[in-house]
């Protein structure tokens, strides 16, 4: 198998970033994120840390993005420019959970009638270099959510990690193109691929969507949501959460309309002009978020809206995370009638 | 639903001009919009459009009539965008994108008696269907419209309710207000109570309901009491919407999106979804 020595990582990243913006897991103060290699110091490289604080979803679905510009003059109005980034990007070191999340976002943005132009442009321009996940962390539960931490799904190239080397396995045409670019840095080597230690954390989701259909009115939602502060951090760090707002920046005679991430945890999310709010209470919003991920997403797209990355376990200030919720929902007895 | 295509960015509006503004009530205006070529796109009764006053914002509105050369939107003044819309004058250019949603099942209802039940601005989407029926009068059976508003001043489309529609063959119009008023000699009752009093025959009839959420909830119960089966009752829902294309997340009821899978639902279908509307 083609491979490169781990010690040559910066040379490989330099080569990739020479032509294409290359997002790499990097430390950024107390957090970590996938950041462009060229904009950061090599000492911030965080390849060995487990999941980054923020997911890589922002590469294909930016936190804020301009949709179009407008100009007004008296009663006249013009849409003067639309924005859809078409450049190419590389995502280096994406683990199976984050690649599974991309597959979920693809369902939302590319299927069911409409194709989201901006998302598609970014997604088409993205080459994903995945990596084996040999040692899932204490908060990881991807294999319970149907994700193989060593799987190749969603990767254009898969990196196989050994003690000294990264094996380089191109899987798609996009992956082959990168192989050509790195050819002189790759050497042919016999690699023994270690096995993943697997996730220590397990949840049981078998039959859960069906069970949840009868649990909309369960008092368990009051209990679970009691300590939720509706801070929304879970929705920002979640690699699958895709809700967005569309807002206007008005400079008087011109401006732009942009979209930005939004959170279903906020009271304004469903508040209609006139004051009606179908999910007025905290319980309602909490319930909708978890039912969306565990029941509605499954019904609509055939997969869970959670890839088991564990970020919400790390970040929720009250530990009201996916694992706690799934476990508690599993305990609840549902009246068969 | 359109096929998956990337031919045009679905979030970017095109420009239309306001060609007429009709004051319906003190807080409802009917805006007629068109391009120089006529309608910006074909719209079915009950479908939605995202209308924007570019520097202020966008909002989802149901089409209240799809005329040959323009679209009509009856808009009540309830917030930031609608306040601003109520200040504009004829000639104003707006952004528009759509049409969104499924619309009313106008073909499946052919051959049926139609019972339209509306409250307040809820008559706006129903009107697109009612006028559709009158345009093709022979395809529909008896038409009844039950419409209620808080007060006489809140009744919209008065000319149509009192003169034009009652003049149509086999058509009965029932109008009610919530509280007695000095110069009103018509009915005073809430819509659901009046509905039960009128007790329309469910036989071969489809009921179409739109109004404030509480009115819809109570009217659905009344219809059930009167013997209407779930598949004979249709309602059109609203929700806060940003994208209109089933991506931004917020107008979901269970696994369905009002903007994409609705806004029109029959009661049989609605019973499978959480009561979050």
């Amino acid at each position: 198998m083609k491979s490169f020595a781990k010690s040559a990582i910066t040379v490989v990243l330099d080569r990739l970033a020479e032509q294409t913006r290359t997002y790499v897991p990097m430390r950024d103060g107390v957090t970590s994120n996938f950041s462009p290699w060229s904009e950061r110091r090599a000492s911030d490289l965080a390849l060995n840390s487990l999941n980054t604080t923020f997911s890589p979803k922002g590469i294909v679905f930016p936190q804020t993005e301009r949709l179009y510009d407008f100009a007004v003059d008296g009663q006249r109005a013009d849409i003067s420019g639309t924005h859809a980034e078409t450049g190419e990007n590389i995502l280096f070191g994406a683990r199976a959970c984050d690649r599974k999340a991309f597959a979920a976002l693809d369902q939302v943005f590319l299927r069911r009638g409409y194709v989201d132009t901006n998302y598609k442009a970014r997604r088409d321009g993205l080459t994903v270099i995945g990596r084996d996940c040999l040692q899932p962390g204490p908060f990881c539960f991807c294999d319970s959510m149907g994700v193989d931490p060593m799987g190749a799904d969603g990767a254009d190239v898969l990196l196989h990690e050994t003690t000294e080397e990264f094996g380089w396995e191109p899987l798609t045409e996009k992956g082959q193109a990168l192989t050509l670019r790195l050819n002189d840095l790759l050497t042919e080597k016999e690699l023994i691929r270690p096995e993943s230690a697997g996730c220590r954390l397990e949840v049981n989701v078998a039959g859960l969507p069906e069970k949840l259909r009868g649990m909309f009115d369960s008092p368990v939602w009051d209990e679970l949501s009691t300590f939720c502060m509706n801070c929304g951090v879970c929705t920002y760090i979640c690699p699958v959460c895709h809700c967005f707002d569309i807002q206007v920046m008005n400079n008087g005679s011109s401006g732009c309309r942009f979209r930005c991430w939004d959170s279903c945890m906020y009271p304004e999310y469903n508040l209609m002009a006139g004051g009606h709010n179908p999910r007025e209470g905290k319980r309602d919003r909490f319930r909708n978020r978890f039912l969306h991920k565990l029941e509605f997403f499954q019904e609509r797209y055939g997969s869970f809206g959670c890839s088991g990355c564990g970020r919400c376990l790390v970040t929720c200030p009250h530990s009201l995370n996916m694992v706690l919720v799934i476990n508690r929902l599993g305990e609840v007895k549902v009246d068969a009638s | 639903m359109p096929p998956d295509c990337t031919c045009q960015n679905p979030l970017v509006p095109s420009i239309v001009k306001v060609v007429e503004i009709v004051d319906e009530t003190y807080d409802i205006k009917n805006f007629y919009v068109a391009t120089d070529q006529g309608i910006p796109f074909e719209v079915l009764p009950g479908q939605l459009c995202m209308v924007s006053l570019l520097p202020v914002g966008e909002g989802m509105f149901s089409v209240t009539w799809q005329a040959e050369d323009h679209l009509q939107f009856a808009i009540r003044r309830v917030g930031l965008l609608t306040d601003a819309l109520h200040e504009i004058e004829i000639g104003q250019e707006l952004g528009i994108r759509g049409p969104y949603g499924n619309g009313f099942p106008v073909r499946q209802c052919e051959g049926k008696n139609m019972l339209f039940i509306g409250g307040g601005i809820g008559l706006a989407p129903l009107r697109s269907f009612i006028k559709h029926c009158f345009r093709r009068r022979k395809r529909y059976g008896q038409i009844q419209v039950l419409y209620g508003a808080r007060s006489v001043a809140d009744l919209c489309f008065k000319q149509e309710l009192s003169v034009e529609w009652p003049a149509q063959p086999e058509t009965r119009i029932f109008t009610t207000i919530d509280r007695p008023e000095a110069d009103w000699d018509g009915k005073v009752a809430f819509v659901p109570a009046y509905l039960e009093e009128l007790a329309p025959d469910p036989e071969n009839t489809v009921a179409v309901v739109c109004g404030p959420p509480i009115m819809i909830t109570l009217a659905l119960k009344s219809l059930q009491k009167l013997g209407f089966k779930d598949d004979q009752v249709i309602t059109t829902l609203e929700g806060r919407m940003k994208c209109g294309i089933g991506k931004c997340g917020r107008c979901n009821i269970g696994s369905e999106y009002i903007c994409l899978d609705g806004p029109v639902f029959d009661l049989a279908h609605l019973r499978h979804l959480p009561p979050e509307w």
Side-chain angles (χ1 to χ4, degrees):
Chain A
M1 176 180 289
K2 288 186 191 308
S3 68
F4 62 88
K6 280 183 169 174
S7 56
I9 183 74
T10 58
V11 182
V12 168
L13 291 174
D14 282 343
R15 175 70 65 83
L16 293 171
E18 223 169 63
Q19 282 183 42
T20 312
R21 187 163 40 193
T22 302
Y23 288 88
V24 186
M26 305 288 271
R27 271 181 294 277
D28 185 3
V30 294
T31 65
S32 55
N33 200 354
F34 284 86
S35 305
W37 173 245
S38 55
E39 292 171 18
R40 312 278 313 175
R41 292 195 310 268
S43 57
D44 291 331
L45 187 62
L47 271 189
N48 291 329
S49 67
L50 267 148
N51 276 333
T52 46
T53 315
F54 300 97
S55 84
K57 75 176 170 188
I59 299 167
V60 285
F61 174 43
Q63 187 162 358
T64 305
E65 86 178 305
R66 191 139 81 154
L67 294 173
Y68 54 89
D69 300 325
F70 62 81
V72 291
D73 178 15
Q75 291 189 315
R76 282 191 50 89
D78 273 310
I79 308 282
S80 48
T82 59
H83 297 266
E85 204 174 306
T86 50
E88 294 195 350
N89 290 307
I90 294 170
L91 169 58
F92 187 94
R95 295 176 195 268
C97 52
D98 284 343
R99 287 182 272 122
K100 176 73 172 182
F102 276 2
L105 291 177
D106 287 350
Q107 289 290 339
V108 173
F109 286 108
L110 303 178
R111 319 246 194 281
R112 297 298 291 241
Y114 290 89
V115 171
D116 187 286
T117 309
N118 290 33
Y119 179 89
K120 185 175 193 313
R122 288 197 167 84
R123 192 70 175 93
D124 287 348
L126 184 68
T127 304
V128 178
I129 302 176
R131 65 179 294 190
D132 287 347
C133 202
L134 297 176
Q135 194 67 258
F139 302 112
C140 295
F141 58 104
C142 69
D143 52 12
S144 296
M145 302 310 289
V147 177
D148 175 2
M150 298 291 275
D153 288 354
D156 296 300
V157 177
L158 191 61
L159 297 176
H160 300 293
E161 186 174 357
T162 66
T163 323
E164 301 291 328
E165 308 277 329
F166 273 123
W168 176 276
E169 185 188 1
L171 298 157
T172 65
E173 272 179 38
K174 278 181 182 175
Q176 297 286 2
L178 288 192
T179 307
L180 290 178
R181 245 198 259 176
L182 295 181
N183 235 352
D184 59 308
L185 302 177
L186 299 173
T187 50
E188 199 68 41
K189 238 184 187 167
E190 192 80 21
L191 288 186
I192 296 161
R193 194 182 178 199
E195 284 193 14
S196 173
C199 298
R200 279 166 279 170
L201 205 50
E202 269 181 44
V203 289
N204 183 7
V205 292
L208 187 60
E210 297 73 20
K211 182 179 179 184
L212 287 172
R213 266 173 225 155
M215 285 182 64
F216 188 82
D217 294 316
S218 168
V220 74
W221 298 113
D222 295 283
E223 171 203 312
L224 281 169
S225 63
T226 302
F227 293 105
C228 175
M229 304 191 295
N230 275 194
C231 71
V233 68
C234 51
T235 55
Y236 283 81
I237 49 92
C238 175
V240 181
C241 273
H242 59 83
C243 289
F244 61 83
D245 192 1
I246 296 179
Q247 284 293 347
V248 66
M249 191 167 82
N250 177 13
N251 302 326
S253 60
S254 67
C256 74
R257 190 151 280 134
F258 62 94
R259 73 166 159 195
C260 53
W261 295 353
D262 199 359
S263 174
C264 60
M265 292 283 107
Y266 301 152
E268 296 80 8
Y269 177 79
N270 283 118
L271 179 64
M272 281 183 256
H276 180 61
N277 191 342
R279 283 188 277 270
E280 202 161 23
K282 175 168 83 167
R283 186 271 319 257
D284 309 335
R285 296 191 289 276
F286 184 95
R287 175 175 59 192
N288 183 60
R289 178 164 191 271
F290 284 95
L291 287 182
H292 181 223
K293 294 197 167 294
L294 299 172
E295 182 194 348
F296 307 154
F297 208 93
Q298 179 73 245
E299 282 173 8
R300 194 170 182 89
Y301 303 114
S303 65
F304 286 108
C306 168
S307 64
C309 74
R311 288 185 176 88
C312 56
L313 279 76
V314 179
T315 315
C316 176
H318 272 296
S319 300
L320 293 166
N321 54 63
M322 191 53 90
V323 168
L324 176 131
V325 170
I326 292 174
N327 286 339
R328 184 71 189 97
L329 293 173
E331 287 166 12
V332 174
K333 296 265 184 296
V334 181
D335 188 355
S337 67
Chain B
M1 197 186 290
D4 292 357
C5 84
T6 51
C7 42
Q8 198 192 330
N9 190 328
L11 296 178
V12 178
S14 56
I15 300 290
V16 283
K17 195 178 277 185
V18 176
V19 294
E20 176 70 286
I21 301 173
V22 179
D23 286 312
E24 286 295 338
T25 72
Y26 63 96
D27 68 351
I28 297 173
K29 286 185 179 187
N30 193 6
F31 298 87
Y32 296 25
V33 307
T35 67
D36 291 341
Q37 285 74 44
I39 52 171
F41 36 68
E42 292 286 334
V43 179
L44 299 169
Q47 281 192 308
L48 310 168
C49 293
M50 193 63 100
V51 177
S52 51
L53 191 54
L54 285 161
V56 182
E58 309 188 278
M60 193 67 100
F61 299 98
S62 65
V63 174
T64 188
W65 177 234
Q66 51 295 330
E68 264 153 44
D69 59 353
H70 69 272
L71 302 177
Q72 296 180 15
F73 297 94
I75 296 175
R76 197 171 140 221
R77 183 175 196 151
V78 286
L80 199 72
L81 171 65
T82 52
D83 276 356
L85 282 170
H86 272 243
E87 300 301 320
I88 65 172
E89 292 173 357
I90 292 168
Q92 175 69 46
E93 290 185 334
L94 302 173
I96 191 167
R97 54 189 180 90
Y100 297 122
N102 53 3
F104 290 115
V106 290
R107 299 303 295 265
Q108 291 94 307
C109 289
E110 289 181 2
K112 309 274 188 195
N113 299 316
M114 299 303 300
L115 170 62
F116 295 98
I117 302 164
I121 188 69
L123 186 58
L126 296 183
R127 181 174 175 261
S128 67
F129 196 174
I130 295 169
K131 285 170 76 81
H132 173 93
C133 294
F134 288 146
R135 283 280 171 103
R136 298 155 184 81
R137 189 63 194 87
K138 287 190 178 135
R139 296 193 201 168
Y140 298 89
Q142 195 189 52
I143 293 178
Q144 298 184 81
V145 179
L146 165 52
Y147 175 58
R150 279 174 300 186
S151 69
V152 174
D154 288 290
L155 292 166
C156 53
F157 305 112
K158 286 193 193 74
Q159 172 73 9
E160 286 170 319
L161 282 166
S162 59
V163 180
E164 292 176 25
W165 295 352
Q168 292 280 341
E170 278 196 89
T171 302
R172 298 173 76 193
I173 309 295
F174 305 95
T175 310
T176 176
I177 58 171
D178 290 355
R179 275 174 285 279
E181 280 182 44
D183 52 354
W184 175 253
D185 56 3
K187 186 74 182 173
V188 177
F190 290 117
V191 168
Y194 194 19
L195 172 63
E196 289 185 34
E197 189 185 318
L198 291 168
D201 183 1
E203 180 61 29
N204 195 37
T205 300
V206 175
V208 191
V209 185
C210 187
I214 182 68
M215 190 217 84
I216 297 184
T217 306
L218 295 174
L220 296 182
K221 284 190 180 140
S222 300
L223 286 166
Q224 199 175 11
K225 250 192 241 176
L226 293 168
F228 281 80
K229 302 266 187 318
D230 286 353
D231 60 3
Q232 287 177 277
V233 180
I234 295 167
T235 185
T236 173
L237 300 179
E238 59 178 357
R240 190 165 194 188
M241 297 173 191
K242 290 292 179 174
C243 71
I245 56 174
K247 320 266 186 227
C248 80
R250 70 194 65 219
C251 72
N252 80 301
I253 323 179
S255 63
E256 307 209 5
Y257 288 111
I258 298 176
C259 68
L260 195 61
D261 307 303
V264 177
F265 295 91
D266 73 38
L267 190 52
H269 188 88
L270 208 54
R271 287 206 196 281
H272 293 291
L273 301 174
E276 288 191 312
W277 42 270

